[in-house]
């Protein structure tokens, strides 16, 4: 039996302490075009944000209970309007796909599926579709969509000139009926109750923890032990131009668009041409082999597609240094032979030097980076060769070195199996 209360080990080390006042939580909608931007639903519906498309289509929020949640909204609206059929608003295309064939069978058996179909939902087959930019129903230039998925990055569900919001299945259903982003209560009543709107702020805190003697810098998904030497074949250093990407939350859709993910016949040259396409189409033209790419916080967030790492390798990038990185991306990167290291101090220094309101998304800095991978050092020099920055980096431990030398985890495993 599971314990009634989970207690951490007495010697557990913490990077930060997070607290959240649950009583301050209200329904929110994320977007547009970022999971990091969230607005209270009550505030957003007062803006009457019109939509062109609505989606309940992914493995994330298109399970049987999600479809029932949406169907229950339709039932509630129908009960409130017994003399007129409930349908998606004029000008709104509503798409529904079950998370799996079994989920679809369950929803059909419960009657929830037919409720959604009768309300004008266009059905799609189970599996990946608009959520990753595949198939029919994609967003077109200038359109606004609301989706019960978990990604809304620019270009993921269609045009980069469209806008996407994320919400619960119930809010998607209500919005499809009304034609603008709204709550189920508004869809049922047919009017926004501004007097009852709750727009209070969420109360939370993030507090730095005291340093732990066990805490230390970590490297790319592998041991960051204080290695003092390199294994055979591992480069102890790298040098190249520094290319700065000042954006935070540069996601895997920005690095490698989802519409290419399942195109298995794409060559490395083609990958080089499309890398960063959704972030900056100029990146592939500006980047050169052996450039050291430096990026902002939360680099590589989003879907865990390995092509986000291999496309950078195809462009000749062997090292990315960032303020922080998605743990999933770091693991995918080292598994494919790409190094990702974190250095908040370096990124902050570059921001002071280069960032401005009109800064380009890709900045060829004019600086050269000299990186000691085993020593854990980085030096930047200007065009005259003068040092302008010296700093520390996480050291690359021998476990990660072995994977890099092998050209990725698959090759590393294959070599060991062959040696047995």
């Amino acid at each position: 039996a599971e314990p009634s209360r989970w207690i951490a080990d007495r010697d557990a080390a913490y990077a930060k302490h997070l607290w959240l006042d649950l009583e301050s939580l209200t329904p929110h909608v994320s977007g547009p075009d970022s999971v990091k931007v969230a607005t209270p639903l009550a505030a957003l519906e007062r803006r009457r944000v019109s939509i062109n498309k609505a989606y309940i289509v992914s493995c994330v929020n298109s399970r049987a209970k999600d479809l029932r949640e949406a169907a229950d909204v339709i039932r509630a609206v129908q009960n409130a309007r017994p003399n007129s059929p409930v349908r998606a608003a004029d000008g709104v295309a509503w798409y529904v796909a079950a998370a799996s064939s079994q989920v679809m069978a369950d929803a059909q058996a419960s009657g929830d599926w037919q409720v959604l179909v009768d309300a004008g939902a266009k059905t799609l087959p189970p599996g990946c579709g608009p959520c990753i930019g595949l198939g029919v129903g994609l967003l077109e230039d200038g359109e606004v969509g609301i989706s019960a998925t978990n990604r809304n990055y620019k270009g993921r569900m269609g045009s980069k000139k469209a806008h996407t919001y994320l919400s619960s299945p119930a809010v998607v259903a209500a919005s499809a009926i009304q034609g603008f982003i709204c709550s189920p209560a508004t869809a049922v009543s047919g009017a926004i109750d501004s007097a009852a709107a709750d727009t209070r702020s969420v109360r939370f805190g993030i507090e730095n923890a005291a340093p732990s003697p066990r805490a230390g810098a970590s490297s790319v998904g592998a041991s960051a032990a204080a290695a003092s030497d390199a294994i055979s074949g591992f480069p102890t250093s790298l040098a190249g131009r520094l290319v700065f990407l000042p954006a935070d939350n540069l996601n895997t859709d920005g690095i490698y668009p989802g519409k290419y993910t399942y195109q298995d016949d794409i060559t490395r040259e083609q990958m080089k041409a499309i890398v960063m396409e959704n972030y900056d189409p100029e990146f592939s033209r500006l980047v050169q082999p052996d450039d050291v790419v430096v990026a902002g916080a939360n680099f590589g967030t989003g879907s865990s597609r390995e092509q986000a790492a291999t496309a950078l390798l195809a462009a000749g990038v062997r090292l990315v240094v960032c303020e922080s990185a998605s743990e999933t991306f770091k693991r995918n990167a080292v598994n494919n032979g790409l190094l990702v290291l974190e250095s908040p101090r370096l990124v902050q220094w570059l921001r002071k030097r280069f960032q401005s309101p009109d800064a380009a998304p890709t900045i060829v800095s004019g600086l050269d980076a000299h990186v000691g991978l085993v020593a854990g050092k980085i030096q930047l020099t200007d065009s005259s060769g003068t040092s302008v920055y010296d700093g520390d980096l996480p050291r690359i431990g021998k476990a990660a070195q072995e994977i890099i030398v092998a050209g990725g985890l698959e090759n590393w495993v294959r070599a060991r199996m062959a040696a047995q």
Side-chain angles (χ1 to χ4, degrees):
E2 291 191 3
S4 58
R5 181 182 179 191
W6 293 93
I7 300 175
D9 295 340
R10 290 184 177 180
D11 62 344
Y14 300 94
K16 295 179 180 180
H17 295 289
L18 313 178
W19 61 266
L20 172 65
D21 182 354
L22 298 180
E23 288 188 346
S24 70
L25 294 182
T26 62
H28 277 58
V29 173
S30 292
D33 312 323
S34 172
V35 297
K36 297 291 184 180
V37 176
T39 304
L41 175 58
L44 195 61
E45 68 176 352
R46 289 207 298 272
R47 301 177 194 170
R48 297 185 71 92
V49 178
S50 298
I51 62 170
N52 305 101
K53 291 184 171 78
Y55 305 91
I56 304 177
V57 294
S58 83
C59 55
V60 177
N61 278 331
S62 201
R63 298 155 294 188
K65 71 180 185 65
D66 302 315
L67 298 172
R68 173 163 296 178
E69 182 179 301
D72 283 345
V73 171
I74 304 303
R75 293 183 178 106
V77 175
Q78 188 65 75
N79 288 337
R81 310 176 195 174
N83 297 323
S84 59
V86 176
R87 301 278 297 178
D90 291 343
V92 175
W94 181 15
Y95 297 92
V96 174
S100 68
S101 297
Q102 184 59 56
V103 167
M104 183 172 178
D106 292 343
Q108 288 173 329
S110 68
D112 295 330
W113 190 260
Q114 192 59 47
V115 169
L116 300 176
V117 171
D118 290 344
K122 301 178 181 181
T123 62
L124 299 175
C128 289
C131 172
I132 198 172
L134 299 175
V136 301
L138 303 185
L139 288 168
E140 299 179 6
D141 289 0
E143 289 189 329
V144 175
I146 186 166
S147 176
T149 53
N150 65 343
R151 300 282 189 271
N152 62 344
Y153 308 127
K154 272 190 174 296
R156 180 180 174 95
M157 297 185 70
S159 170
K160 289 185 288 185
K161 297 180 181 179
H163 300 291
T164 312
Y165 292 84
L166 302 180
S167 73
S168 69
V171 171
V172 170
S175 303
I177 296 304
Q178 292 299 105
F180 64 93
I181 298 175
C182 69
S183 67
T186 293
V188 170
S189 67
I192 299 171
D193 185 359
S194 57
D198 187 349
T199 60
R200 66 180 184 269
S201 299
V202 176
R203 292 187 293 274
F204 67 95
I206 304 174
E207 302 165 359
N208 290 327
S212 166
R214 300 191 326 171
S218 62
S219 74
V220 195
S223 173
S228 59
D229 56 358
I231 67 170
S232 176
F234 183 77
T236 59
S237 63
L238 292 176
R241 303 185 313 165
L242 189 149
V243 176
F244 184 37
L245 313 180
D248 292 331
N249 306 308
L250 207 172
N251 56 77
T252 52
D253 276 276
I255 301 169
Y256 193 83
K259 63 185 179 182
Y260 303 119
T261 302
Y262 295 116
Q263 297 183 27
D264 295 333
D265 58 348
I266 288 182
T267 66
R268 288 183 68 86
E269 281 300 311
Q270 290 172 319
M271 293 180 80
K272 176 183 176 181
I274 61 178
V275 64
M276 296 288 178
E277 182 178 281
N278 277 353
Y279 169 68
D280 180 12
E282 290 296 301
F283 177 86
S284 62
R285 183 183 64 82
L286 296 171
V287 73
Q288 295 180 5
D290 295 325
D291 281 352
V292 175
V293 171
V294 181
N298 202 26
F299 184 81
T301 186
S303 301
S304 57
R305 63 193 63 155
E306 67 179 44
Q307 295 98 325
T310 55
L312 285 166
L313 288 167
V317 176
R318 293 191 290 166
L319 171 65
V320 175
V321 182
C322 51
E323 185 170 349
S324 62
S326 157
E327 291 298 322
T328 302
F329 180 80
K330 286 195 289 186
R331 184 72 259 182
N332 276 337
V334 74
N335 283 354
N336 286 281
L338 174 68
L339 289 169
V340 178
L341 301 175
E342 297 177 349
S343 177
R345 177 171 171 260
L346 171 60
V347 175
Q348 291 162 11
W349 184 87
L350 289 169
R351 289 194 196 282
K352 291 179 181 178
R353 186 179 178 102
F354 292 107
Q355 200 162 31
S356 67
D358 57 350
T362 300
I363 300 172
V364 179
S365 67
L367 303 174
D368 289 325
H370 307 269
V371 183
L373 296 174
V374 176
K377 298 291 182 179
I378 183 169
Q379 181 186 63
L380 306 184
T381 57
D382 61 18
S383 58
S384 68
T386 302
S387 176
V388 295
Y389 177 91
D390 286 278
D392 295 327
L393 290 176
R395 299 174 180 180
I396 307 299
K398 291 186 177 180
Q401 290 181 32
E402 290 181 4
I403 296 174
I404 298 299
V405 169
L409 183 62
E410 183 178 343
N411 292 337
W412 183 87
V413 171
R414 184 180 291 113
R416 272 148 185 76
M417 293 179 64
Q420 291 180 355

